[in-house]
Amino acid sequence: MAHPTPDDLALAALGDDADLEVREHVGGCRTCLAEVEALQHVVAVGRSLGPADQLSTPNPRVWQQIAAEVHGQVGSQAGSVSVLAARRRPASRRRWAPVALAAAAALVVGLGGGYALRSATGPSSDATSAAPTAQLNALPGWPGANGRATLEEGADGHRSLVVNVQLSETTDVDGTMEVWMSDTQARDMVPMGTMTGDSARFPVPASFDLASHPVVDVSMEPRNDRDPHHSDVSVVRGRLNV
Amino acid sequence: MTLAPDEDRDALVAAFLAGDERALEQVYKRYSALVYSVCLRSLGEVTEAEDVTQKVFVAAWDKRHNYKPERASLSAWIMGITRNKIVDAHQGRARQRRIADQVASNYDTPREPLDVAERLIVADEIARLDEMPQKVLRLAFYEDLTHMQIAERLQLPPGTVKSHIRRSLIKIRKRLEESYDGSSDS
């Protein structure tokens, strides 16, 4: 007979081989026998599975630790800059333009805040301790939200952006907050990473030009949002005094 | 998460190799349950399984430049790292055991990671099948029904049942093959 159909070979692997002709053919055909034997292995493993053979999901802290361990390295990896560049997106089509005005207002406050902080450190502090900083102010729709962004430079010269965000206790959060850096026109937005708690640290590649992208924006990205673009929903925003 | 189509997987691999941290997160989402479950079964202890799982993904990230997509599937590569890290953990235990001068019988005989991995991969693949193919395969596997009996039970044409069975078995076999081919390269 001609080779049995793949369906019949699968049934033969299960032992569901009512068809004598199929059985006889497989017994004498090396190709079909090999196929059946390979599938029989799957069947044998599958049938032997017990309650213990269930996948368990690791505790979320495992990922948090991996992310923390891996995070510090990213800024220094060759290639990460181009990845950032590839993922940057033109700013939003909808809500960003009107909100840019609010951003402008926030910038003034941000600059003021930065200045106040520097003044407070007093004249004795040396120049390097005056890390660029920004007060992050709530956008309309997020009353009570606020935050702070600071650009820190490590002893090894690597820069990182430390962002702190607090939401008002009555805010219902359904999604994750993502941090972006953008130009003052909000035309080019570079994703820095996702907030994993109230506070998070993001590596800033050496070649990243802060002077052209001084605005720190924290967006709310809806749960299950698969679109890598900015969601158009900004929570807080401010400008680094660079 | 459903199984990514091939081009999605290629894009994920490309982003992973390029150093995109989000790709690492996706890779973790896809494989962490399998890696962790293999560790847990093989090491028998949550804390150590978590620790080894962490090491596997950090190593995968650090050594991503060693990964050659044309030589092995990502899952095979990650399972290869998992196996190595489990062996390391067992060796670490043996050292500790010597130091503490404890008798070997205090410890479970290590389970062969590959054997455990194979069983868990099959369990994982079955769980990932769509609802109807999964129902069909479970009836064939665990209730030992013939395809005709399954067709009757589920009110499906026998041809559909046969086709579900074939597709599911081949899918699982492919995943098993992917997970072992080239896994020694890692």
Side-chain angles (χ1 to χ4, degrees):
Chain A
M1 77 178 265
H3 291 298
T5 64
D7 284 1
D8 284 333
L9 292 178
L11 290 185
L14 274 171
D16 181 359
D17 51 355
D19 192 336
L20 188 65
E21 244 186 300
V22 172
R23 232 183 323 177
E24 278 179 352
H25 172 92
V26 170
C29 171
R30 204 173 281 192
T31 316
C32 290
L33 184 62
E35 173 73 9
V36 169
E37 281 178 350
L39 295 178
Q40 268 173 343
H41 180 66
V42 174
V43 173
V45 176
R47 284 199 163 136
S48 73
L49 295 178
D53 296 301
Q54 289 216 342
L55 265 63
S56 341
T57 310
N59 185 293
R61 66 176 163 257
V62 176
W63 168 248
Q64 284 157 12
Q65 280 159 359
I66 293 167
E69 193 163 336
V70 152
H71 219 65
Q73 312 165 5
V74 174
S76 58
Q77 292 290 339
S80 58
V81 176
S82 59
V83 170
L84 279 179
R87 282 179 47 221
R88 31 169 95 171
R89 299 286 180 246
S92 81
R93 302 127 322 236
R94 301 191 299 273
R95 240 166 301 176
W96 253 86
V99 167
L101 287 173
L107 299 186
V108 177
V109 181
L111 285 166
Y115 178 74
L117 187 90
R118 269 199 296 185
S119 310
T121 59
S124 62
S125 67
D126 57 37
T128 54
S129 70
T133 175
Q135 170 73 35
L136 304 179
N137 296 293
L139 275 290
W142 299 92
N146 69 84
R148 173 167 291 280
T150 309
L151 187 79
E152 292 185 1
E153 189 162 342
D156 56 1
H158 289 143
R159 299 177 300 175
S160 48
L161 181 72
V162 179
V163 178
N164 208 290
V165 178
Q166 286 90 38
L167 298 179
S168 116
E169 280 182 18
T170 54
T171 305
D172 248 343
V173 175
D174 188 26
T176 53
M177 288 193 283
E178 183 160 8
V179 176
W180 308 75
M181 295 207 67
S182 94
D183 57 346
T184 51
Q185 309 296 307
R187 285 197 189 115
D188 181 33
M189 309 200 57
V190 182
M192 304 303 288
T194 301
M195 296 291 292
T196 46
D198 287 349
S199 179
R201 175 182 293 270
F202 308 98
V204 179
S207 61
F208 187 78
D209 182 10
L210 277 165
S212 67
H213 289 73
V215 175
V216 177
D217 176 274
V218 181
S219 72
M220 184 60 73
E221 302 291 322
R223 194 180 297 283
N224 300 325
D225 177 21
R226 304 184 66 136
D227 182 351
H229 293 79
H230 192 288
S231 63
D232 293 336
V233 180
S234 290
V235 180
V236 291
R237 192 179 299 149
R239 178 179 180 159
L240 288 170
N241 49 339
V242 286
Chain B
M1 175 180 163
T2 51
L3 254 190
D6 284 351
E7 62 261 37
D8 279 7
R9 213 172 340 185
D10 290 349
L12 177 62
V13 168
F16 176 73
L17 290 178
D20 186 338
E21 247 182 282
R22 284 187 178 188
L24 175 65
E25 192 171 357
Q26 290 302 313
V27 168
Y28 179 82
K29 276 185 185 155
R30 174 66 184 83
Y31 297 110
S32 59
L34 182 59
V35 168
Y36 173 69
S37 304
V38 171
C39 292
L40 193 58
R41 287 286 298 281
S42 183
L43 297 163
E45 202 198 303
V46 168
T47 315
E48 202 169 12
E50 287 184 352
D51 187 45
V52 175
T53 301
Q54 184 182 337
K55 284 181 180 153
V56 168
F57 285 95
V58 171
W61 180 256
D62 287 346
K63 298 188 172 151
R64 62 187 183 276
H65 304 296
N66 294 347
Y67 172 56
K68 302 277 175 284
E70 67 280 5
R71 292 181 62 185
S73 69
L74 190 59
S75 112
W77 186 66
I78 288 173
M79 292 319 291
I81 297 175
T82 305
R83 193 182 49 201
N84 293 342
K85 295 290 175 201
I86 288 174
V87 169
D88 288 353
H90 280 302
Q91 283 170 351
R93 279 182 178 184
R95 264 197 301 279
Q96 262 181 350
R97 198 158 56 210
R98 279 197 299 277
I99 292 162
D101 196 28
Q102 287 175 322
V103 287
S105 59
N106 281 357
Y107 290 81
D108 291 336
T109 320
R111 280 168 182 272
E112 175 52 51
L114 266 184
D115 173 56
V116 172
E118 183 176 66
R119 299 171 65 78
L120 291 173
I121 286 169
V122 173
D124 184 34
E125 278 305 299
I126 294 175
R128 281 172 191 275
L129 293 172
D130 287 339
E131 190 186 347
M132 192 51 83
Q134 185 174 150
K135 219 178 248 181
V136 167
L137 200 66
R138 287 187 186 281
L139 289 174
F141 274 4
Y142 306 119
E143 300 200 20
D144 228 359
L145 300 185
T146 66
H147 76 282
M148 292 301 288
Q149 290 167 325
I150 296 170
E152 208 165 299
R153 172 88 67 99
L154 300 179
Q155 297 290 300
L156 290 173
T160 307
V161 173
K162 276 169 132 180
S163 151
H164 278 322
I165 288 173
R166 169 179 54 85
R167 282 165 205 256
S168 302
L169 290 183
I170 287 175
K171 199 171 187 178
I172 299 171
R173 181 182 67 176
K174 186 166 173 252
R175 174 82 194 284
L176 275 180
E177 285 170 357
E178 277 180 0
S179 295
Y180 295 117
D181 291 353
S183 59
S184 56
D185 291 347
S186 53

